[in-house]
Amino acid sequence: MPNRSKRVVVTGMGVLSSIGNSIDEYALNLKNGVSGVAPVTLFDTNGLRVHIACEIKDLPAVNFPYSYRALDMIHISAVQAVKDSKICFKDEDPYRIGSVFGLSQGSIESLKVIFRKIITEKDISGLKPEQLVANTAYGPAKAIASYYDLKGPSLTVSTACSSSLNSVMIASDLIGNGLSEICFTGGAEDLFDIAYYGFHSLRGLAEKKCQPFDKNRSGLLLGEGAGILILEELEHALKRKAMIYAEILGYGNSSDAYHETSPDPSGRGAALAMKAALEDAHLRTDAVEYINAHGTGTQQNDEMETKAIKGAFGENAYEIPVSSTKSMTGHALGAAGIIEIIACILAMRGSFIPPTINYETPDPACDLDYVPNRSRPKTFDISMSNNFAFAGNNSSIIIKKWKTK
Amino acid sequence: MEDQIVITGIGIVSPIGTGTEAFLESLKTGKSGVDRIKRFDPSIFGSKKAGEINDFSIADHIPASNARKMDRLTRYSTAAAVMAVKDSGIDMAKTDSGRIGVIFGTAFGNSASLEKFISEINANGPQLANPFIFPSLSMNISAGTIAKELSLNGVNYTLSSEVTSGGMAIFYAVQLLKNKKADYIICGGADELSLLVFGGVHAKGELAYEDQTVSEDSRPFDQYRNGYICAEGACLLLLERLEDAKKRGANIYAKISGISTGSFGNGTSAEEVIRRSAGQALQESGLSSSDIDFICSSANSSRICDKLEIDSLRSAMGTDAKDIPVSALKSMTGETFGASYPLNICAAMLCIRDRFIFPTINYTSPDPLCRLNLTTKYAEDAIINNSLICSFSLDSHTRWGNCVSILIGKV
């Protein structure tokens, strides 16, 4: 089957999450099974049943051309990733550098300003354009393209909880098809009240802790995060002697065609995405050594995902460690995909399997190896990461550790 | 040899008509879809007009009971998708559902649902947030609903980049078809008129308004243009590989012979980036600028962007550019954001098929700075083999933007 003609590698990373504001801190806390959960400080939760979330702690103050929480987060992780990649922009053709980001929303702060003036107060005086800047999902991709003067393809994908995983897949297609040599990709999601109230209304939030795959799991914990990968065409990376973390081997995406918020309980759609990723990577089911699950901690997702992994991997499913790092980071919605890909890369580099924390009671419907509570030392080369989203969007990616010959 | 991608289905919900026939009739007669806003009271705003859709019923397209949970934008999008598939003549029962994808573009998503969700929280408190509206806040709800309605398990993405959203969706669909990640892709985009969207773009100072000289209207390239008219619509196309289309004996509207995109971070590099993108699309097609018979312009009556488009295309196409017939669809529809790019492609394809060029309406005072061979007032007969569509977003405040250029041609 004809496919991308170029190989795609990761040469830079930046991350912000509730368990670490740098790659090193994030790696350490993933290994140590640290939880990022704390009482919500960003908005009022009075009157709700739930009052906890995984917020980023001590977000550094920054001074970029425009500012709101999610955009600041994107900028901070981009600075980390660019530094990490050691790209020298003056040696690069800006038309060959793309930017593909995944965000589920625009800035809610900015949206609320418009809402208050237009709908509540019915008074548009004093509504300034700068208050509306980037109140859209596509703002950050354009902000990064502008800041680094990137003139290649610029896309924003918005598919709820699979957004930033999908952004990595689209960016890989651009490089694979020869449309870019370098691509900034990833996403950000800040914790905001509208989403919190929405998940609360769906009775989707855990009251005390997030317990993926546990029999008594009671829902997800909302989190926030940001991550950027610098993706690069292999030959280009080798030529500039870049440090290569990993190779993007393959990926797949599918649609459940089932329900607005609930996954197809049969796991058919999710299995289709995993199978497509295996086929795209030209791998057999026994090649995958770790699966970073979507593992939200809801009854429906975790049982469905277990079925889907069995559907895609058959008997091999029982041999593969599967963990949910959302048990530690919370569910960063649009940013979940990117921070979980980064978790996979860090696990492969650090030779450990991140744990599923808060795992207490086995569920007969979830009978795979979930790496309960403690990380496990293991040297391995190939990871899969899954994300499933509202409207039945399923995505799966396979990444391989880069080994210098 | 790389696969050729062709367009074999059209689905349209627009201010100048729902369905290809109604849209075509409006193109030929130069009908305006712009009028005073009925959906909400525009009195607090300086601008009062929009391109609204008021003749649409979802029950004309799918069983009404399937639409119970769909909000307005999702209904527009689903109807357009159903029309595109029907038009393509694909036998869905005989096609692998995993090989049909949806790539959808929207600038603002389901903003009316967002408005309603926030209003209810403000009125009733967060503990009474509405779980039935919340799912529609995901920007991919239209694409997911289309997949559900048509039972499609293939790739499913929603892209967002202001007025180029629908063009970016087509750009990525072409990549996926060339990589054989799907056999058929429903792609294009949609946006809806809501108080939030109208208020937002109004506050940015981008909308047309009435002044001493002119009425509030969309008048691309006119000397007295002062902004665009906010509009809504959905337009989805069915794309597939040429050999597949031939094999199943499909009716082919046009082939996509060149496609290119780029982004710019400030107003000064915009012209260079757009010129390069148009030039690359031309290069990919193997055509020369003298082969282009029609520029289906994306001009939306913006003071800056109309001129920027013509200047960029002129520098991309050299001396031939000044003679190529140009017309601007947004003079009739207003700015439909996510739907605008695919609507432009539909207009160009219908002109190719039916041998005419639609008029740019409301054009009365030529702008000496925008010199071009513009078709005005009435449709003109013309034989068109190749048409260029170039669209770009340029934020009036940040000067951030991107562009997509697509060349379509007769098969």
Side-chain angles (χ1 to χ4, degrees):
Chain A
M1 185 175 278
N3 215 324
R4 303 175 297 274
S5 56
K6 313 269 187 195
R7 293 169 70 181
V8 183
V9 293
V10 178
T11 57
M13 303 196 288
V15 76
L16 287 172
S17 85
S18 60
I19 60 165
N21 290 349
S22 69
I23 288 291
D24 291 342
E25 193 187 353
Y26 183 54
L28 187 68
N29 288 333
L30 283 170
K31 191 173 179 177
N32 291 341
V34 170
S35 166
V37 70
V40 174
T41 66
L42 291 167
F43 49 83
D44 197 359
T45 58
N46 274 337
L48 304 184
R49 297 183 306 279
V50 187
H51 307 280
I52 50 173
C54 297
E55 293 178 0
I56 290 173
K57 284 95 190 162
D58 308 315
L59 184 70
V62 287
N63 186 24
F64 291 98
Y66 296 94
S67 175
Y68 57 89
R69 192 169 171 88
L71 185 58
D72 288 353
M73 284 159 56
I74 284 265
H75 269 302
I76 294 166
S77 38
V79 168
Q80 291 177 17
V82 166
K83 191 175 167 204
D84 190 35
S85 74
K86 301 192 171 60
I87 288 174
C88 182
F89 284 99
K90 69 175 182 344
D91 297 341
E92 304 295 339
D93 175 359
Y95 283 94
R96 302 287 291 158
I97 312 182
S99 50
V100 184
F101 287 81
L103 292 102
S104 78
Q105 299 283 342
S107 158
I108 295 293
E109 291 157 55
S110 157
L111 178 84
K112 281 179 168 170
V113 173
I114 311 177
F115 193 94
R116 178 170 51 78
K117 295 294 288 181
I118 293 170
I119 295 173
T120 314
E121 297 173 5
K122 296 186 176 39
D123 170 18
I124 56 168
S125 60
L127 196 55
K128 295 189 183 67
E130 53 266 33
Q131 292 173 306
L132 314 177
V133 164
N135 65 326
T136 48
Y138 53 80
K142 295 193 173 178
I144 291 296
S146 168
Y147 192 75
Y148 293 96
D149 194 27
L150 317 178
K151 292 177 177 165
S154 175
L155 289 86
T156 297
V157 56
S158 188
T159 52
C161 306
S162 55
S163 298
S164 59
L165 174 51
N166 286 339
S167 78
V168 175
M169 297 170 15
I170 296 173
S172 300
D173 278 341
L174 293 181
I175 295 175
N177 287 358
L179 297 168
S180 294
E181 283 171 333
I182 296 174
C183 202
F184 284 53
T185 187
E189 188 91 47
D190 56 330
L191 183 75
F192 57 91
D193 52 4
I194 300 299
Y196 199 92
Y197 301 156
F199 278 99
H200 187 271
S201 77
L202 292 171
R203 299 186 173 272
L205 298 180
E207 288 180 37
K208 294 194 179 72
K209 52 190 169 186
C210 175
Q211 297 183 281
F213 304 108
D214 187 286
K215 188 169 193 286
N216 301 318
R217 62 190 180 276
S218 58
L220 55 88
L221 270 183
L222 280 180
E224 54 179 357
I228 304 266
L229 294 183
I230 305 292
L231 295 184
E232 203 165 336
E233 193 269 312
L234 175 63
E235 295 305 319
H236 186 275
L238 291 173
K239 208 157 93 190
R240 71 172 186 95
K241 299 190 170 61
M243 204 279 292
I244 300 175
Y245 283 102
E247 178 173 5
I248 308 292
L249 282 191
Y251 34 86
N253 171 275
S254 77
S255 181
D256 268 0
Y258 179 78
H259 188 265
E260 293 73 26
T261 54
S262 298
D264 178 346
S266 73
R268 180 171 159 263
L272 264 178
M274 287 185 248
K275 283 183 198 163
L278 284 166
E279 189 186 333
D280 191 41
H282 304 290
L283 289 180
R284 293 187 341 183
T285 53
D286 59 357
V288 173
E289 298 166 281
Y290 165 58
I291 298 174
N292 186 302
H294 187 52
T296 54
T298 61
Q299 283 291 338
Q300 293 155 310
N301 176 82
D302 296 358
E303 188 175 338
M304 176 285 290
E305 188 168 10
T306 300
K307 271 189 208 161
I309 291 171
K310 290 182 205 169
F313 288 88
E315 277 303 303
N316 276 320
Y318 292 94
E319 310 299 321
I320 308 169
V322 176
S323 71
S324 167
T325 46
K326 285 192 183 74
S327 61
M328 299 177 264
T329 61
H331 189 346
L333 302 180
I338 193 72
I339 68 173
E340 288 161 17
I341 291 173
I342 292 173
C344 290
I345 295 173
L346 294 173
M348 290 190 286
R349 277 176 63 82
S351 298
F352 70 93
I353 306 277
T356 302
I357 67 166
N358 303 321
Y359 186 88
E360 292 159 3
T361 313
D363 178 353
C366 298
D367 57 349
L368 299 175
D369 171 10
Y370 300 110
V371 198
N373 301 318
R374 299 179 78 89
S375 64
R376 186 181 298 165
K378 179 176 171 175
T379 302
F380 69 108
D381 298 331
I382 296 185
S383 305
M384 171 181 272
S385 190
N386 291 336
N387 286 112
F388 312 125
F390 273 9
N393 198 273
N394 309 300
S395 294
S396 187
I397 194 165
I398 299 173
I399 315 147
K400 184 178 186 182
K401 179 167 75 179
W402 187 259
K403 285 192 265 192
T404 327
K405 304 219 164 54
Chain B
M1 173 85 184
E2 235 188 19
D3 284 303
Q4 182 84 62
I5 308 304
V6 295
I7 302 167
T8 56
I10 292 178
I12 295 172
V13 177
S14 88
I16 58 167
T18 292
T20 306
E21 284 318 307
F23 181 73
L24 178 62
E25 183 58 27
S26 297
L27 285 183
K28 287 182 171 165
T29 54
K31 181 187 164 187
S32 172
V34 171
D35 206 347
R36 192 181 159 93
I37 296 171
K38 297 185 184 71
R39 186 159 302 154
F40 53 83
D41 175 8
S43 58
I44 61 168
F45 301 106
S47 304
K48 324 269 184 210
K49 287 185 179 177
E52 250 175 306
I53 293 165
N54 291 312
D55 62 346
F56 172 81
S57 166
I58 188 67
D60 297 343
H61 308 279
I62 61 170
S65 59
N66 290 10
R68 282 175 307 164
K69 290 197 233 167
M70 299 180 190
D71 67 2
R72 186 169 54 221
L73 182 65
T74 306
R75 287 179 182 188
Y76 290 166
S77 314
T78 306
V82 167
M83 282 186 263
V85 169
K86 211 176 197 177
D87 188 34
S88 74
I90 293 173
D91 184 347
M92 299 295 276
K94 287 185 185 156
T95 309
D96 177 359
S97 67
R99 300 292 296 168
I100 312 176
V102 181
I103 313 293
F104 185 80
T106 180
F108 307 112
N110 302 50
S111 54
S113 285
L114 180 61
E115 204 178 290
K116 202 168 167 204
F117 188 73
I118 300 178
S119 294
E120 290 191 9
I121 288 174
N122 288 350
N124 310 326
Q127 64 274 28
L128 289 174
N130 191 330
F132 302 102
I133 304 176
F134 184 58
S136 291
L137 271 51
S138 291
M139 289 183 87
N140 63 328
I141 190 70
S142 286
T145 303
I146 291 166
K148 188 181 161 196
E149 183 61 33
L150 294 165
S151 300
L152 314 176
N153 296 113
V155 290
N156 195 293
Y157 296 100
T158 297
L159 305 177
S160 183
S161 61
E162 217 228 348
V163 301
T164 55
S165 300
M168 292 309 290
I170 295 166
F171 166 78
Y172 189 51
V174 168
Q175 303 303 318
L176 288 167
L177 285 166
K178 285 186 173 174
N179 286 352
K180 299 205 163 49
K181 293 285 186 182
D183 294 332
Y184 304 103
I185 295 183
I186 298 165
C187 65
D191 266 290
E192 66 177 324
L193 178 73
S194 72
L195 198 44
L196 267 185
V197 166
F198 189 87
V201 293
H202 184 271
K204 286 166 90 177
E206 293 175 354
L207 295 181
Y209 53 89
E210 184 179 303
D211 64 17
Q212 290 145 330
T213 326
V214 290
S215 60
E216 180 187 334
D217 262 309
S218 178
R219 45 173 56 82
F221 302 117
D222 187 280
Q223 186 175 5
Y224 299 108
R225 68 188 185 276
N226 58 16
Y228 62 80
I229 295 283
C230 191
E232 60 182 349
C235 181
L236 290 162
L237 310 174
L238 196 295
L239 265 58
E240 63 187 295
R241 290 179 290 272
L242 174 63
E243 53 182 304
D244 295 342
K246 277 183 176 166
K247 215 179 286 170
R248 68 180 186 87
N251 165 42
I252 299 171
Y253 285 99
K255 64 180 175 190
I256 293 179
S257 42
I259 186 162
S260 178
T261 177
S263 71
F264 43 86
N266 57 63
T268 50
S269 63
E271 183 175 334
E272 178 200 328
V273 174
I274 300 164
R275 169 169 53 82
R276 258 182 81 132
S277 135
Q280 268 175 2
L282 197 60
Q283 198 179 11
E284 189 186 320
S285 70
L287 299 170
S288 76
S289 51
S290 59
D291 297 321
I292 308 301
D293 325 288
F294 177 42
I295 293 172
C296 191
S297 168
S298 300
N300 66 5
S301 186
S302 144
R303 198 78 235 150
I304 295 167
C305 295
D306 291 12
K307 180 174 180 304
L308 182 57
E309 180 182 329
I310 285 307
D311 289 349
S312 309
L313 295 184
R314 188 166 286 161
S315 61
M317 305 176 78
T319 48
D320 294 322
K322 66 178 192 314
D323 302 323
I324 303 174
V326 177
S327 198
L329 176 65
K330 292 175 190 176
S331 63
M332 292 179 250
T333 60
E335 179 54 80
T336 58
F337 300 99
S340 69
Y341 207 111
L343 280 176
N344 256 18
I345 290 191
C346 287
M349 291 191 303
L350 294 170
C351 289
I352 290 175
R353 187 190 73 183
D354 292 0
R355 302 183 172 193
F356 76 105
I357 291 176
F358 60 84
T360 300
I361 63 169
N362 302 321
Y363 182 83
T364 47
S365 312
D367 180 350
L369 297 175
C370 294
R371 284 182 310 152
L372 67 175
N373 178 9
L374 193 69
T375 302
T376 60
K377 286 198 182 107
Y378 306 106
E380 286 174 13
D381 292 339
I383 292 173
I384 302 167
N385 291 303
N386 299 291
S387 175
L388 176 66
I389 298 119
C390 173
S391 173
F392 56 93
S393 68
L394 174 61
D395 187 282
S396 55
H397 190 73
T398 59
R399 323 298 289 159
W400 301 336
N402 74 341
C403 68
V404 195
S405 304
I406 300 182
L407 238 163
I408 62 165
K410 203 183 266 180
V411 175

